[in-house]
Amino acid sequence: MKVERNLLFTSVINKFNLEIIDAGYAIGDTSWKSKNIISPFSRLYFIESGETTIKSGGETIVMKPENVYLVPCGHRFSWSCDNAYTKLFLHFNINKPDGYDILADLRKFFAVPLSQQEIKKQGALTLLYFSW
């Protein structure tokens, strides 16, 4: 086996700072509504049950169970809920050494399918998921 390492990449990436602002489990209802939010942190949501909606720039996304959603920092959006829902959430920043968040230039929501079985296998959200 031949292995070539990229020490420059390792050196640069290790200077980034992951800061967890808040994390938890939310039980929401129709009172979960807000308009024109611009957060200084990114949001990661795992919808466990129910549905909720986020809107931005003419795009509407219905957040549904068994998906993970990323709302980048600095992204203007509105949210609402027409029914009850539960979700895991993580608010965070990933800052370069100059303090600039690497997700700040993203202007789009991202969604990735992730089943409850998969989340139980993964280490990233498992502790948060089972601590509730």
Side-chain angles (χ1 to χ4, degrees), residues 61-122:
I61 294 179
V62 178
M63 295 192 295
K64 298 180 179 188
E66 300 203 347
N67 288 281
V68 173
Y69 298 90
L70 172 66
V71 179
C73 64
H75 189 88
R76 181 183 302 270
F77 67 99
S78 299
W79 65 58
S80 63
C81 183
D82 294 331
N83 55 27
Y85 72 93
T86 58
K87 70 177 178 183
L88 291 168
F89 66 89
L90 182 67
H91 299 166
F92 65 97
N93 292 101
I94 304 174
N95 296 318
K96 298 188 307 185
D98 63 4
Y100 188 77
D101 192 302
I102 64 170
L103 301 178
D105 290 332
L106 298 177
R107 293 291 170 251
K108 183 175 172 149
F109 300 124
F110 294 90
V112 176
L114 184 64
S115 71
Q116 288 191 18
Q117 289 76 21
E118 286 181 71
I119 203 170
K120 289 174 184 175
K121 290 180 196 173
Q122 304 302 318

